[in-house]
Amino acid sequence: MRTAHALSDCAQTGEDDPGWDVSVSRGFGEGKADLRAWTALAWEASDALLFVGAAGIAVRAIAPHVASKATDSAVVVIDEAGRFAVPLLSGHLGGANELAQTVARAVGAIPVITTATDVRGVWAVDTWARCAGLAVSNPEAIKRVSARLLSGGRVALYSDMPISGQPPEGVDIASDRARADIIVSPFAGANAGAFVRAAETTDEVVPAGETGMPAGMRVQAPAPEPLRLVVPCIVAGIGCRRGACAEAIGEAFLLACGQAGISPLAVREAATIDVKAHEEGLLAFCRARNIPLATYSAEELSQVEGSVSPSDFVRVDNVCERAALAGGGKLIFPKLAHGGVTVAFSKVSIELSFKER
């Protein structure tokens, strides 16, 4: 009962906190909720799942839904006596380790953290990325970075943005993107640096017959791809004809990203004129990308300094560029028109730090 009361208090705290949105099920089994159905719904709707009971039950409940460390929900289990809080899934990127510690404090339990970097006191790049608000473009590369640090090696980090604070042990700041193990950039994962990195190679010995060369001859193999952490510092200014569908907007957006060399994950916000605030296609596009839509009046946009290429869609010239600039950023990609949609990109300042929050 101690656990139930403490977790109830914790849930109430979450309900009172604007940063939390808590849903509680009071039990499973005959006459109560179906665990499999609840898990399926909670998995789709929640960032984290907390089970009270046996770890094995929780493992079997979540097993059909586990897909990728980049997208899986955080999962924590705590025993009925409230003795141990164990993160089962997505300890770093999903924040399960942090959640387990929070729950443990609430109920007086012991958090059982098993991830190697935490156990050995080594910097966890994926935890830092989550806390810094960075998207991970290629999560499969996390393992390589962590493995090198765990073996006592060093990694080179290149960033397009300044990062305050002392770099963690084992991390060197690189001035050359092409030689970095970690790239922090709104362009990471897109065109910028991709061809440079692809040109870098490492030696690898291969058996005869695989290349038609004599046995033991060294051939050039592609160097490991760097871990790409994407900074969400791009505002997409968007203009469109009335009734433009989400698909058309998405097509123009991706075309602009490709030409600008911007990762779509770097876009933090879409912006447009207020008369487009209820355009269903634009709203659907934003929902699909999980980004907010900022709107500005014609008067506000007319006062924005920047490019004023004419637009045929609304009475304010060049809505997309003006909307992109309205939030105070710097224009880095001018208007692209495609299929009745215009897109422009601005870059806003983002503060990054190695210091833990």
Side-chain angles (χ1 to χ4, degrees), residues 80-133:
E80 291 186 1
R83 296 176 60 196
F84 304 104
V86 186
L88 295 180
L89 191 67
S90 203
H92 288 162
L93 282 182
N97 286 359
E98 185 178 341
L99 177 60
Q101 293 167 334
T102 299
V103 170
R105 287 193 296 270
V107 303
I110 299 172
V112 183
I113 310 299
T114 60
T115 40
T117 50
D118 297 275
V119 171
R120 305 243 320 252
V122 172
W123 183 60
V125 63
D126 40 357
T127 295
W128 178 70
R130 179 180 61 83
C131 293

Side-chain angles (χ1 to χ4, degrees), residues 131-212:
C131 293
L134 307 177
V136 182
S137 179
N138 54 338
E140 66 278 2
I142 293 172
K143 182 178 179 180
R144 184 168 57 252
V145 171
S146 295
R148 185 179 298 179
L149 291 170
L150 286 166
S151 67
R154 305 188 69 83
V155 295
L157 182 149
Y158 170 89
S159 178
D160 281 331
M161 323 287 285
I163 306 177
S164 65
Q166 186 71 20
E169 179 64 32
V171 178
D172 300 315
I173 302 301
S175 59
D176 185 359
R177 169 193 286 267
R179 299 190 178 279
D181 302 294
I182 306 168
I183 295 177
V184 181
S185 170
F187 308 105
N191 293 338
F195 297 109
V196 175
R197 189 66 193 185
E200 187 182 13
T201 57
T202 56
D203 287 341
E204 179 181 352
V205 177
V206 297
E210 292 188 13
T211 66

Side-chain angles (χ1 to χ4, degrees), residues 208-232:
E210 292 188 13
T211 66
M213 298 179 180
M217 180 171 287
R218 294 183 181 274
V219 297
Q220 297 294 302
E225 187 180 21
L227 174 62
R228 300 189 301 269
L229 305 181
V230 185
V231 185

Side-chain angles (χ1 to χ4, degrees), residues 21-325:
D21 184 7
V22 180
S23 175
V24 180
S25 179
R26 299 295 178 181
F28 304 98
E30 186 175 354
K32 297 181 180 179
D34 178 79
L35 178 59
R36 288 178 296 180
W38 178 87
T39 303
L41 291 173
W43 189 271
E44 292 298 324
S46 307
D47 295 318
L49 283 71
L50 172 63
F51 291 87
V52 180
I57 295 175
V59 168
R60 285 191 290 271
I62 66 173
H65 310 288
V66 177
S68 165
K69 69 184 302 176
T71 58
D72 288 339
S73 300
V75 179
V76 174
V77 63
I78 185 168
D79 63 281
E80 291 186 1
R83 296 176 60 196
F84 304 104
V86 186
L88 295 180
L89 191 67
S90 203
H92 288 162
L93 282 182
N97 286 359
E98 185 178 341
L99 177 60
Q101 293 167 334
T102 299
V103 170
R105 287 193 296 270
V107 303
I110 299 172
V112 183
I113 310 299
T114 60
T115 40
T117 50
D118 297 275
V119 171
R120 305 243 320 252
V122 172
W123 183 60
V125 63
D126 40 357
T127 295
W128 178 70
R130 179 180 61 83
C131 293
L134 307 177
V136 182
S137 179
N138 54 338
E140 66 278 2
I142 293 172
K143 182 178 179 180
R144 184 168 57 252
V145 171
S146 295
R148 185 179 298 179
L149 291 170
L150 286 166
S151 67
R154 305 188 69 83
V155 295
L157 182 149
Y158 170 89
S159 178
D160 281 331
M161 323 287 285
I163 306 177
S164 65
Q166 186 71 20
E169 179 64 32
V171 178
D172 300 315
I173 302 301
S175 59
D176 185 359
R177 169 193 286 267
R179 299 190 178 279
D181 302 294
I182 306 168
I183 295 177
V184 181
S185 170
F187 308 105
N191 293 338
F195 297 109
V196 175
R197 189 66 193 185
E200 187 182 13
T201 57
T202 56
D203 287 341
E204 179 181 352
V205 177
V206 297
E210 292 188 13
T211 66
M213 298 179 180
M217 180 171 287
R218 294 183 181 274
V219 297
Q220 297 294 302
E225 187 180 21
L227 174 62
R228 300 189 301 269
L229 305 181
V230 185
V231 185
C233 61
I234 303 298
V235 175
I238 299 177
C240 62
R241 289 197 179 105
R242 180 180 299 177
C245 65
E247 291 75 15
I249 296 172
E251 184 176 307
F253 169 78
L254 292 177
L255 180 62
C257 285
Q259 291 191 16
I262 290 172
S263 168
L265 296 174
V267 177
R268 61 187 289 119
E269 177 181 275
T272 191
I273 192 167
D274 57 5
V275 297
K276 301 293 182 182
H278 302 292
E279 281 284 344
E280 184 51 42
L282 185 54
L283 294 174
F285 164 80
C286 291
R287 286 194 297 268
R289 289 278 165 189
N290 195 29
I291 55 176
L293 177 64
T295 60
Y296 300 92
S297 68
E299 181 180 0
E300 289 173 314
L301 293 182
S302 66
Q303 295 173 0
V304 171
E305 295 183 359
S307 178
V308 289
S309 304
S311 170
D312 298 328
F313 301 156
V314 292
R315 64 184 183 275
V316 177
D317 57 10
N318 207 340
V319 164
C320 65
E321 288 186 11
R322 290 183 180 275
L325 289 166

